[in-house]
Amino acid sequence: MQTRDVAICGSFTVETEDHQVKRVIICQDIVTHYDKEKSYAKYFRLESPSGIAVYRTDNPSLFQLGNGTLLKRTRR
């Protein structure tokens, strides 16, 4: 049986459409037994590892929430 923990790999700051500053957390699942046939991708969450999912767009400076809200990466 494998168990899952979450590792925080990093974070960066974004600005919402209404100019609120938020933090996007980069996470990856840590499992006790790795399957060689499976890849373990990193994923993005808003404010915490259990927060709202954040998705990439074609523009590397823009991210999107599930409801369509755009987040612009800031250089702070």
Side-chain angles (χ1 to χ4, degrees):
M1 184 168 120
Q2 70 182 23
T3 60
R4 291 183 182 267
D5 289 319
V6 175
I8 296 175
C9 302
S11 67
F12 55 91
T13 306
V14 293
E15 187 175 332
T16 64
E17 293 170 334
D18 56 351
H19 304 292
Q20 293 180 350
V21 176
K22 302 281 186 174
R23 183 157 304 275
V24 172
I25 308 294
I26 305 167
C27 303
Q28 185 173 24
D29 289 335
I30 303 298
V31 294
T32 55
H33 299 284
Y34 287 95
D35 182 357
K36 293 178 185 176
E37 304 300 318
K38 185 177 178 184
S39 65
Y40 297 89
K42 293 176 177 67
Y43 53 91
F44 303 102
R45 295 286 188 247
L46 193 62
E47 299 290 333
S48 75
S50 60
I52 299 170
V54 177
Y55 303 99
R56 293 180 183 190
T57 64
D58 292 335
N59 183 338
S61 296
L62 287 178
F63 294 83
Q64 189 171 17
L65 299 179
N67 65 5
T69 302
L70 292 176
L71 306 170
K72 184 176 181 182
R73 189 173 189 161
T74 60
R75 304 286 180 216
R76 293 184 183 192

